[in-house]
Amino acid sequence: MPALLVLASAAQAEPTKVEVRVIARGAKFLGGYRAPVRVTMTDADTGKVLARGFTSGTTGDTQQILSKGKDSGGVISTPDSAVFRTTLNLDRAQRVTVSATGPLSQPQAETTVTSTQWILPGHDLTAGDGWLLEMPGLIVDVASPVAYHAFKVGDTVPLRAGVTMMCGCGISEMGPWRVSDTDVEAYVSVDGGVAERRKLTFDPDTATFGTDIKANKPGLYEVEVRAWMAPSNNAGVSHVSYFVH
C-alpha cells in the first residue's frame, strides 16, 4: 500500500517551467561566455537541489533595459537576453530558493544573490522577465603590474586597472555608465605598513584607470584597488602585489 501511494503521488506531479534572469545593478544581464552565472535552485525547507545550471544568452537590449521596458509593458528582457531555464516536476506547492553566483569569469568580483518564493505545480514562472535577480558590484581587473613582478628602487611602477559593470559593460566619458560617476582609488602599503591612498584617473584611449607609483624603498608592495559608483551604490575591489629590490 505505501508503494502505491508513492506511485500515485509521483503520477500527480506536474511539470512547471521556471526562467531565472540575473541583471547587474544599474546595467544589463549577465550571461554567455563573457560573464556567466551559476544558478542553483533548492527546496527552501530541506536544502535539496532541484535544478542547477548556467545563464546563457546576451546582455540584452540597452535601451529597453535602461528605459525599464517603457515600450514593452515593463518587460526589460528580450528573447536573446541571458536566462537559465528549467522544468520542475512538482506534486505540491513548494517554497524554492534560487541562488545565483557570478560573474564566474572574474573570480575577484564574484557575488552571490538569493531569493525565495513559492512555486505552484503547473503554474509556470515565466511571465515578463521571469524570476529576476539583481546582482550588485563592479568588476575591477588590475592590468598592470603583473602579480609579484620585481622592480628596482627608483623605478616608476605603472598601475592600470579596468573597471566595468558586473555584466562587462564598459565605463566611458559619454556612455550610459559614466566615468564622472566613478571613483577609483588605490591603497598602497609596503611590508604591511600604513597604506597610502592614491587616486586613479581615466584614460579614454585604453579605457582604464591608472596612476604611477614611485618605488622609493625595497619591500613587498601590496595594492588594493577600490572602485565606487555612487548613483547605483556599486563597489568593486581587486588586489595585486609586487616586489621592489
Side-chain angles (χ1 to χ4, degrees), residues 152-155 157 190 196 198 213-218 221 244:
K152 296 179 181 179
V153 172
D155 284 349
V157 180
V190 183
E196 175 192 356
R198 302 286 298 272
I213 302 171
K214 191 71 173 180
N216 291 320
K217 60 182 179 180
Y221 284 61
V244 173

Side-chain angles (χ1 to χ4, degrees), residues 22 29-39 53-57 59 82-83 100-107 109-111 135 139 166-168:
V22 183
F29 293 100
L30 284 81
Y33 71 91
R34 192 173 190 180
V37 173
R38 181 173 58 251
V39 176
F54 300 91
T55 57
S56 178
T59 56
V83 62
T101 299
L104 301 180
S105 59
Q106 293 290 329
E110 274 187 25
T111 299
M135 183 167 285
I139 297 173
M166 291 290 270
C167 51

